[in-house]
Amino acid sequence: MRTAVPALTSVERAATRTAGGPSDREDQAVITTTRTTTRTADRTAQRRSFVADASLSSFVAALIAIVVSYSGPIMIVLTAAQAGHLTQTQTTSWLWALSIGAGLSSIALSLKTRMPVIAGWSTPGAALLVTSIAQYSYPAAIGAFVISALTITLIGFSGVFGKLIALVPDAVVSAMLAGILFSFGIDAFRAVGQGPLVTAAVLLGYIFAKRFSARYAVLAALVLGVLTAALSGGLRLTGITFHLASPLWTTPAFDLAAIIGIGVPLFAVTMASQNAPGLAVLHASGHRPNDRLLIGGTGLASLVMAPFGGHAVNLAAITAAICTGEEAHPDTRKRYPAGVFCGLLYLLVGTFGAALLGVFTALPKELVAAIAGVALLGALMSGLSGAMALPEHREPALVTFLVTASGMALFGIGSAFWGLIFGLVAHLVLTAGRRSSGRHVSRARRGSAPGRRPRPGRPDR
């Protein structure tokens, strides 16, 4: 715990000088030395705290989050690189920038806030680039990335975005989270038709392990799934060579057409489809995220990584849900190591580039789908229970859930954002002129409703 070091008063300094004691300069030197020692002790205590709080279950949660990230969403980035006719060096640098930016953000923000802050990259932004990046030169696209990142950083640190998100009712936020995760639960069982042996091993392993140890149920499912895939010949890891990735700097060219065609929509989809659900996941898991720090911090990472090809680093939602649930750790206060582990794994993948990417893409799709599904069951249950907790909020929450789960997209913006909008409109229309019941207020304050968010304006850090 930090100990305050009071400065000497003018009377004390005068008395000290009269007695032949140290001068003002010596006083200040003592205070500076003491404060430096205190900061060093704080950093040492923080490291010791992380070692004490780290657990195998938090590492497993981080590992599954990384597997999900690199076996699915990253493929959209590769598709965009092919559409833009990028060279192998430019593509490798793009992957490096996203991985390193997300890794450093996850580590720094998780340690700073003591929350499992999982950064990622804008998957809808990458989908946007599939159809637009070929229309502009690569330096012009980089310039658009820079403008988008700068705008996100400024709006993030201003706190405006967080205030807007805080206006959304808790039930609507929980329903949006459930809608995002719903398809993953469905896909876990759809995978039975693609690979019944591997999927059955994962699902049965999870259920039986859950009976005896809920904390390590996902680990048991992962181990059984990988072993079954290996024994059945589903793992194809041949031909993978390890070599360090080389980042490539590209000087941005600021072209108005590219800024309008890439920068503006990239900013919109990243804020609406990534950062909004990312904050919602942390709120739903009982945390009080400092939106200024998280969105501004990831925006700053985007700004630094943009010249190397990174189109957007932002808060993750789906992979964050894996690391914020009880599977990571029963104690909410000890889940932040999952964010640190996730960041370290990001750095590892980014450093070795295409080699480790080949490992993740070699995993059977049914294995990835089944593991992701069971890892997200807890977060899905929390979202559904929070959405349906209060009778007066159930219809708006149901609208939010259905719109989000539908996967609809309008104007290039994904269903998570539109779920919030439709649900908020339904809430305003259905509750207009009504006065909240005392039962609703008391339950919200007691925190009895699952998925409850603390009041805005009081972040953890």
Side-chain angles (χ1 to χ4, degrees):
M1 186 174 184
R2 183 169 296 182
T3 304
V5 182
L8 296 178
T9 65
S10 57
V11 175
E12 290 171 332
R13 285 197 296 269
T16 303
R17 284 195 296 271
T18 303
S23 63
D24 286 350
R25 184 175 298 175
E26 291 171 330
D27 292 340
Q28 189 60 40
V30 171
I31 294 172
T32 301
T33 302
T34 305
R35 287 173 176 168
T36 301
T37 304
T38 302
R39 283 194 295 267
T40 303
D42 287 343
R43 286 193 293 268
T44 302
Q46 188 180 65
R47 286 194 295 268
R48 289 174 179 171
S49 176
F50 171 76
V51 173
D53 293 341
S55 62
L56 178 61
S57 57
S58 62
F59 175 78
V60 171
L63 179 61
I64 293 173
I66 290 296
V67 170
V68 172
S69 294
Y70 285 101
S71 59
I74 200 66
M75 301 308 296
I76 301 177
V77 176
L78 296 177
T79 303
Q82 293 174 354
H85 307 291
L86 270 59
T87 65
Q88 182 63 40
T89 303
Q90 290 171 332
T91 302
T92 301
S93 181
W94 192 347
L95 297 177
W96 177 90
L98 294 177
S99 301
I100 300 301
L104 293 177
S105 298
S106 298
I107 294 171
L109 294 174
S110 294
L111 289 175
K112 175 67 176 176
T113 63
R114 285 299 193 264
M115 292 185 292
V117 179
I118 310 300
W121 47 85
S122 178
T123 302
L128 166 75
L129 293 173
V130 172
T131 58
S132 61
I133 192 172
Q135 302 174 30
Y136 311 97
S137 67
Y138 186 59
I142 294 294
F145 296 168
V146 170
I147 295 298
S148 173
L150 180 61
T151 308
I152 291 173
T153 303
L154 294 176
I155 290 181
F157 282 127
S158 73
V160 173
F161 188 71
K163 291 178 181 178
L164 292 176
I165 294 298
L167 298 176
V168 182
D170 295 344
V172 171
V173 172
S174 295
M176 182 193 68
L177 173 62
I180 292 172
L181 304 180
F182 180 70
S183 63
F184 287 85
I186 294 295
D187 289 343
F189 293 93
R190 284 178 178 166
V192 175
Q194 301 171 356
L197 191 61
V198 172
T199 308
V202 171
L203 297 176
L204 292 176
Y206 174 81
I207 292 172
F208 281 106
K210 186 87 171 182
R211 173 66 178 80
F212 300 101
S213 176
R215 187 174 176 183
Y216 296 106
V218 176
L219 174 60
L222 176 63
V223 171
L224 281 176
V226 171
L227 287 176
T228 305
L231 293 175
S232 62
L235 292 180
R236 297 173 296 276
L237 302 177
T238 58
I240 297 176
T241 58
F242 289 85
H243 57 276
L244 297 178
S246 301
L248 175 67
W249 170 276
T250 300
T251 302
F254 298 102
D255 177 69
L256 182 59
I259 291 172
I260 296 174
I262 293 179
V264 173
L266 178 60
F267 160 77
V269 298
T270 300
M271 294 296 281
S273 301
Q274 293 285 165
N275 285 329
L279 287 176
V281 168
L282 289 170
H283 278 302
S285 60
H287 294 288
R288 294 179 291 180
N290 184 333
D291 58 274
R292 296 179 184 230
L293 176 62
L294 301 190
I295 297 179
T298 52
L300 195 59
S302 293
L303 189 60
V304 173
M305 292 299 167
F308 298 100
H311 65 287
V313 175
N314 46 248
L315 296 179
I318 296 167
T319 50
I322 296 174
C323 297
T324 56
E326 293 185 0
E327 290 78 8
H329 200 284
D331 188 345
T332 307
R333 298 169 299 176
K334 295 184 178 182
R335 294 175 190 169
Y336 74 92
V340 178
F341 286 134
C342 198
L344 292 173
L345 291 171
Y346 270 134
L347 297 181
L348 180 64
V349 177
T351 300
F352 288 99
L356 288 181
L357 178 60
V359 174
F360 292 122
T361 54
L363 296 175
K365 292 182 179 180
E366 61 271 19
L367 172 62
V368 176
I371 288 296
V374 298
L376 290 168
L377 282 179
L380 177 57
M381 286 189 293
S382 176
L384 290 172
S385 60
M388 298 291 117
L390 300 176
E392 58 266 38
H393 289 169
R394 285 174 184 169
E395 272 191 292
L398 182 59
V399 170
T400 302
F401 172 77
L402 293 175
V403 173
T404 305
S406 71
M408 62 173 284
L410 290 174
F411 311 111
I413 299 177
S415 61
F417 172 77
W418 295 115
L420 282 179
I421 297 299
F422 278 64
L424 185 57
V425 170
H427 171 78
L428 293 175
V429 171
L430 293 174
T431 60
R434 297 181 185 175
R435 188 170 64 181
S436 298
S437 64
R439 179 173 58 86
H440 166 63
V441 174
S442 63
R443 286 189 69 177
R445 287 180 180 172
R446 287 200 311 268
S448 58
R452 179 187 64 88
R453 287 188 300 162
R455 288 173 292 177
R458 299 178 59 189
D460 281 341
R461 284 289 185 269

